[in-house]
Amino acid sequence: MRPGRRNLVTDVAGLRVGQAGDVRVKTGVTVLLGDAPFVAGVHVMGGAPGTRETDLLAPDRLVQEIDALVLSGGSAFGLDAAAGVVEGLRAMGRGFEVAGQRVPIVPGAILFDLANGGHKDWDEAPYRALGRAALAAASEEIELGSAGAGLGATTADLKGGLGSASLVLESGITVGALVAVNALGSAVMGGGPEFWAAPFEIGDEFGGRGVGRHDPLAEPRPEAKLGQSTTIAIVATDAALTQAQATRMAVAAHDGMARALVPSHTPFDGDLVFAAATGAKPLPEGGYEALRLGHAAAVCLARAIARGVYLARAAPGDTRPCWQELFGRD
C-alpha cells in the first residue's frame, strides 16, 4: 500500500469535501459530497451517539444510495446542519426521486463542543446555515486541524481537530478516512508528544516522533464531563460495495479508532464511523479484497485521527492546549 496523491479522503475519485465554521462559536460543519449518489453504511460503538437518518443505511432499506454525509459540531443543535445540506442539494436538482419530487438523502452525526470556550449565546443556532455553506465550498482540497467539524473539538489533554489520510492498495483500489476528533480519551501516549497511532505513521505525517512510553496500569481520569465527547468519522473507497459490505468496512475501521485514542468507544462518547463506496472499481475476485479494505480503512482512520490533533491550531479562549504549542518546536 501507499498513500494517495493528496493523502486525503478525496483521493477517492468522485468525492469532495466542504467545510464551514464559526470561530466565535468555536464550531463547524464538514460535508462529504459525491459527484453522484453513493453506497453507504454505518457502525456505532460509542454509548452516546447523536445521529440523523442512519437507520436507512441498513442493507434491507429501500434507498440504497445517498447524496452526502455530514459531520457537525453543536451536539443536538448540530443535527440541523444536514437540513441545510438537504436544501442546498435540492436546489442543485439532487436527491431520490419520489412523487415528482427530489429528496436528498443526507445522513449525519454530531459531536459535543458546547463547552469548548466558544460563545454559544445564539438566538438561532448556526448549523443549518453552516451546513449549506459547507456544501457550497465542496472541493478536493481539505483544510485539516482546526477546521470544519473539528474547529472546536477537544480530547482529554489536547485540542482535537479534523483529520484525513488515504491509501492505495496493490489492486489499485483507494481507501480514505475523514474524522472529527473530539474524544474523551487521549491521542498521545503518556502526555505526549508521541501518538498512540505512531506504529501506523507514514513518513512524518504527524511529527515522526515514533512510539512513546505509557503506564499500562494507569486508569483513565477524564476531565470532560460525561456525554461531552464523541469522535465521528467517514471511511471511503472507490470499490463497488453493497450496503452490507460498506457496513463491514465501517466495523473494521473502528479498529483504527481504538489504536489512536485511549480509551475509545466509552459509554460517554458517541463514537461512529460511516463508510462510503463510489463503486467505480469492481472488487477483485477471491474474497480477500474486502479484508484488505477493512484493514486499510482502520490504518487510514488511525493516521487521520493523529493528523487532526497534530495540525490543530491555538485560538483565543481555548480550553485545551494544542500539540503544536507544546511540542511543535522540539
Side-chain angles (χ1 to χ4, degrees):
M1 299 186 295
R2 58 178 173 81
R5 183 169 63 87
R6 301 181 187 87
N7 198 19
L8 299 172
V9 71
T10 48
D11 287 325
V12 177
L15 296 180
R16 290 174 285 151
V17 171
Q19 302 196 93
D22 187 320
V23 295
R24 181 177 180 274
V25 181
K26 288 184 182 289
T27 196
V29 173
T30 298
V31 176
L32 181 82
L33 176 66
D35 291 344
F38 55 88
V39 169
V42 66
H43 189 65
V44 182
M45 287 190 69
T51 61
R52 169 185 163 128
E53 290 207 304
T54 51
D55 283 354
L56 60 76
L57 299 180
D60 61 342
R61 300 299 190 257
L62 172 65
V63 177
Q64 295 291 300
E65 295 180 319
I66 67 170
D67 296 286
L69 289 165
V70 176
L71 308 179
S72 179
S75 189
F77 299 103
L79 293 173
D80 279 348
V85 176
V86 167
E87 290 171 351
L89 286 168
R90 186 174 188 270
M92 295 162 56
R94 295 282 299 267
F96 182 74
E97 187 173 359
V98 57
Q101 298 294 320
R102 289 283 180 179
V103 182
I105 308 299
V106 183
I110 50 89
L111 55 82
F112 186 99
D113 59 3
L114 300 182
N116 61 3
H119 297 273
K120 308 301 191 293
D121 53 351
W122 58 63
D123 292 322
E124 181 176 338
Y127 295 99
R128 196 181 194 105
L130 287 172
R132 192 152 187 171
L135 174 68
S139 75
E140 293 180 342
E141 299 301 324
I142 309 173
E143 181 181 359
L144 303 184
S146 300
L151 179 61
T154 59
T155 70
D157 42 17
L158 296 169
K159 282 190 74 171
L162 195 285
S164 190
S166 70
L167 285 171
V168 180
L169 282 66
E170 281 188 13
S171 64
I173 288 173
T174 300
V175 176
L178 180 69
V179 59
V181 187
N182 188 68
L184 190 74
S186 176
V188 294
M189 304 178 72
E194 299 89 359
F195 286 91
W196 286 104
F200 303 95
E201 185 175 17
I202 298 174
D204 59 355
E205 60 188 344
F206 43 88
R209 298 302 182 89
V211 178
R213 297 182 63 84
H214 69 100
D215 180 2
L217 302 179
E219 293 187 19
R221 301 186 184 279
E223 293 186 20
K225 293 183 179 179
L226 305 186
Q228 294 187 4
S229 303
T230 292
T231 295
I232 46 180
I234 302 168
V235 292
T237 182
D238 52 7
L241 302 181
T242 64
Q243 279 190 313
Q245 290 171 321
T247 300
R248 289 304 310 173
M249 186 170 76
V251 172
H254 273 284
D255 287 355
M257 194 178 295
R259 293 166 185 167
L261 295 168
V262 178
S264 60
H265 306 133
T266 78
F268 314 112
D269 289 281
D271 295 343
L272 169 151
V273 179
F274 289 111
T278 64
K281 297 179 180 179
L283 280 179
E285 295 182 4
Y288 289 108
E289 198 66 12
L291 179 154
R292 296 185 182 100
L293 282 178
H295 171 71
V299 172
C300 284
L301 183 51
R303 294 163 52 223
I305 287 170
R307 293 188 82 196
V309 175
Y310 173 70
L311 293 170
R313 302 180 302 278
D318 284 347
T319 60
R320 299 281 193 282
C322 66
W323 191 97
Q324 294 293 337
E325 278 184 296
L326 298 181
F327 311 115
R329 292 183 293 275
D330 287 356

